[in-house]
Amino acid sequence: MEKAELNKEIRASGLKSTKSRCAILDILKQNDRPASADEVYMELKSRGISLNISTVYRTLDAMTEKNLVKKLSITGESKALFELNAIGHKHYLVCLGCRKTMAIEGCPLESFERELAEETDFVIEGHKLDIYGYCPECRNKT
Amino acid sequence: MEKAELNKEIRASGLKSTKSRCAILDILKQNDRPASADEVYMELKSRGISLNISTVYRTLDAMTEKNLVKKLSITGESKALFELNAIGHKHYLVCLGCRKTMAIEGCPLESFERELAEETDFVIEGHKLDIYGYCPECRNKT
DNA sequence: TTGGATGCAAAAGTTTTGCACGGTT
DNA sequence: AACCGTGCAAAACTTTTGCATCCAA
């Protein structure tokens, strides 16, 4: 993505735009699966951008706060993961063998959420759904 | 629950039965929502049972291994949570205001999982679904 | 008796924070 | 110029591990 657009998007969220922040957002945009702070840090390094890990955490937190980014916890992962807060939302199919994750198309929960809101009187803001199993390569190993 | 039954259940899982393990399982049985290792530790303390926190972790891990217990990660929680691995499975409605969690009845995903298995050739083992929102008490505060 | 369970202390791993300095607006 | 972002180092917090001792089978 062009630098100018990243700049614009970051400022639109209310954050000050910096080289570091553009780079981090760019990485998340190119990633099709959630990344840990450390993975982002490594990718920055491999692109020749040397940031401190605490800056990466602070940036990801700030972007989460501004809804540019979503922070996830996946069962079995000890670290928090971050992904772009794209329009709509994603669910993941996670392989318990190799821990590969792939995005799932579609979401089966809209009507369920409406019913739930009525029953409980909650204001539903969102949900998190991950599905676990074994991928074609791992299904025969166990 | 009577001590004898807890004993039996633990041994049936393949674990050696000890006073600590009975106490931990008993706590999880009485909890209607997932607890962190530290919460279990505190509850033990308040019952006059003094265990080391590392024992609590080891016990919870062992019980997870034996499928007596399930380990969860909930978005926004920095710690892992543990709950009884009851027959069937549960989903939670989590309040983003006060972080109260309540179990949801029913699961809207069975048919979705079957379709997904066909499409992806994964063996689906399970899933994790949490729904987020604001409870009646918190919905007006923000 | 024997192997596994536990306590203790220390380490490991992730995330946060204080402070001084530097860059963006 | 003012304020916020960043680097660095240290701390905080959760979880794991090694080893000696203790307990259930």
Side-chain angles (χ1 to χ4, degrees):
Chain A
M1 194 177 215
E2 295 140 44
K3 209 184 141 197
E5 274 193 67
L6 288 169
N7 244 291
K8 205 168 118 189
E9 190 170 342
I10 291 170
R11 277 199 302 262
S13 79
L15 291 176
K16 196 183 282 190
S17 174
T18 67
K19 214 163 65 173
S20 317
R21 286 175 175 176
C22 288
I24 288 174
L25 190 59
D26 194 41
I27 285 169
L28 291 181
K29 275 184 187 292
Q30 284 171 30
N31 246 46
D32 58 341
R33 53 170 205 181
S36 65
D38 195 58
E39 281 166 349
V40 171
Y41 174 72
M42 292 306 191
E43 177 60 22
L44 285 164
K45 219 178 218 168
S46 83
R47 294 187 184 190
I49 300 169
S50 170
L51 283 196
N52 193 278
I53 184 68
S54 67
T55 301
V56 174
Y57 275 108
R58 278 193 277 229
T59 301
L60 290 170
D61 283 348
M63 289 181 174
T64 301
E65 184 83 16
K66 298 297 188 185
N67 291 312
L68 287 174
V69 159
K70 271 195 298 199
K71 185 176 182 179
L72 319 172
S73 344
I74 289 202
T75 297
E77 283 288 344
S78 57
K79 327 178 194 185
L81 302 180
F82 299 85
E83 70 175 356
L84 206 63
N85 187 10
I87 290 158
H89 61 262
K90 285 181 187 166
H91 299 307
Y92 292 96
L93 183 53
V94 180
C95 177
L96 294 167
C98 59
R99 302 222 73 85
K100 215 169 12 209
T101 68
M102 54 181 286
I104 294 168
E105 300 303 321
C107 169
L109 292 167
E110 273 108 24
S111 63
F112 182 73
E113 284 194 355
R114 272 194 300 275
E115 290 164 31
L116 193 64
E118 276 186 33
E119 282 170 31
T120 62
D121 210 27
F122 265 60
V123 180
I124 307 291
E125 292 283 330
H127 60 251
K128 176 166 153 42
L129 168 65
D130 304 306
I131 300 190
Y132 298 90
Y134 291 96
C135 73
E137 289 83 52
C138 293
R139 62 191 295 173
N140 302 315
K141 286 186 194 162
T142 320
Chain B
M1 195 178 217
E2 294 138 47
K3 211 185 142 197
E5 276 193 66
L6 287 170
N7 245 292
K8 206 168 117 189
E9 189 170 343
I10 291 170
R11 277 199 301 263
S13 78
L15 291 176
K16 195 183 282 188
S17 175
T18 68
K19 211 163 68 171
S20 317
R21 285 175 176 177
C22 289
I24 288 174
L25 191 59
D26 194 41
I27 285 169
L28 291 181
K29 274 184 188 294
Q30 284 171 29
N31 245 46
D32 59 340
R33 53 170 204 179
S36 66
D38 195 58
E39 282 167 349
V40 171
Y41 174 72
M42 293 307 192
E43 177 61 23
L44 285 164
K45 218 176 219 168
S46 84
R47 293 187 186 189
I49 301 170
S50 170
L51 283 196
N52 194 279
I53 185 68
S54 65
T55 301
V56 175
Y57 275 108
R58 279 193 277 230
T59 302
L60 290 169
D61 284 348
M63 289 181 173
T64 301
E65 184 83 16
K66 297 297 187 186
N67 292 312
L68 286 174
V69 159
K70 272 195 297 198
K71 185 176 181 178
L72 319 172
S73 344
I74 289 201
T75 297
E77 283 289 343
S78 58
K79 327 178 193 185
L81 302 180
F82 299 84
E83 68 175 357
L84 206 63
N85 187 9
I87 291 159
H89 60 262
K90 285 181 187 167
H91 300 306
Y92 291 97
L93 183 52
V94 181
C95 178
L96 294 167
C98 59
R99 302 221 74 85
K100 216 172 7 209
T101 68
M102 55 181 286
I104 294 168
E105 300 302 321
C107 168
L109 292 167
E110 274 107 22
S111 62
F112 183 73
E113 284 193 355
R114 273 194 299 277
E115 291 164 30
L116 192 66
E118 277 186 32
E119 282 171 30
T120 61
D121 210 26
F122 266 59
V123 181
I124 306 291
E125 293 284 329
H127 60 253
K128 176 167 155 40
L129 168 65
D130 303 306
I131 300 189
Y132 298 90
Y134 291 95
C135 73
E137 288 83 51
C138 292
R139 60 191 298 176
N140 301 316
K141 285 185 192 162
T142 320

